[in-house]
């Protein structure tokens, strides 16, 4: 098999992919399957979300953090926002939390036809949501994540939650305090 993501119903059925997984040839990743020896890169993780994300939607928050390597497992709830200026008629789906806010092109990285918020935007969104655990994981995987998220917040001070996000990210950027 190539290092591409396989989805049930494309070339192989779900039963065939499940059998290949039992044989150890593929492993589940996101919404698809990849060869067992394929390294889990952001590109591969993002592409594994293609069936769940229309090209008009972007992975955000914890889902974007998973793409960037902060989580080992794909979140069970997929958080998405509009990646287009036009309103999207997003049909309700069981695992998808849709936010109607528009994510601009400067805040997106495209992996083929799958959009994911940048590391800076992802950290800023997580800080606005007060998700310290995932921000810490992002910072562990990307040295400049906190600084980039803080810079993003400082350029978008009018958005809800940004003042508290700035305070949180400034504390994280300052590092641990020592007492004598």
């Amino acid at each position: 098999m190539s290092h591409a993501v396989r989805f049930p119903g494309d070339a192989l059925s779900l039963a065939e992919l499940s059998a290949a997984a039992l044989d150890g040839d593929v492993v589940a990743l996101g919404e698809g399957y990849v060869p067992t020896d394929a390294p889990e890169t952001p590109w591969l993780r993002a592409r594994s979300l293609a069936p769940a994300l229309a090209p008009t939607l972007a992975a955000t928050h914890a889902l974007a953090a998973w793409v960037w390597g902060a989580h080992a497992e794909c979140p069970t709830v997929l958080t998405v926002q509009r990646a287009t200026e036009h309103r999207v008629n997003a049909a309700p789906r069981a695992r998808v939390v849709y936010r109607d806010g528009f994510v601009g092109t400067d805040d997106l990285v495209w992996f083929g036809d799958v959009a994911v918020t940048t590391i800076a935007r992802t950290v800023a969104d997580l800080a606005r949501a007060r998700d310290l655990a995932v921000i810490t994981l992002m910072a562990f995987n990307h040295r400049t994540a906190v600084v980039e998220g803080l810079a993003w917040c400082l350029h978008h001070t009018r958005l809800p939650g940004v003042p508290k996000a700035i305070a949180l990210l400034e504390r994280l950027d300052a590092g641990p305090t020592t007492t004598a």
Side-chain angles (χ1 to χ4, degrees), residues 58-121:
T60 64
H61 296 79
L63 184 59
W66 173 73
V67 169
W68 294 118
H71 294 290
E73 299 293 325
C74 183
T76 54
V77 175
L78 309 179
T79 50
V80 300
Q81 281 182 241
R82 279 189 297 128
T84 178
E85 292 182 26
H86 306 290
R87 295 273 181 211
V88 175
N89 187 10
R93 297 199 354 230
R95 294 181 48 215
V96 177
V97 172
Y98 172 72
R99 292 181 171 95
D100 194 44
F102 168 59
V103 179
T105 56
D106 291 346
D107 291 333
L108 294 175
V109 176
W110 288 87
F111 298 93
D113 62 351
V114 176
V116 178
T117 52
T118 63
I119 291 171
R121 175 65 187 261

Side-chain angles (χ1 to χ4, degrees), residues 61 99 122-132 135 160-161 165 168:
H61 296 79
R99 292 181 171 95
T122 300
V123 169
D125 286 344
L126 292 167
R128 290 170 56 209
R130 316 294 289 162
D131 196 339
L132 184 59
I135 294 169
L168 172 67

Side-chain angles (χ1 to χ4, degrees), residues 2 4 32 35 59 65 166 178:
S2 73
I166 289 171
T178 58

Side-chain angles (χ1 to χ4, degrees), residues 14-45:
L14 178 59
E16 291 169 316
L17 286 168
S18 297
L22 288 173
D23 289 342
D25 296 329
V26 296
V27 293
L29 182 69
E31 300 292 307
Y33 292 83
V34 296
T36 305
D37 61 349
E40 281 192 35
T41 62
W43 186 91
L44 198 62
R45 285 181 172 203

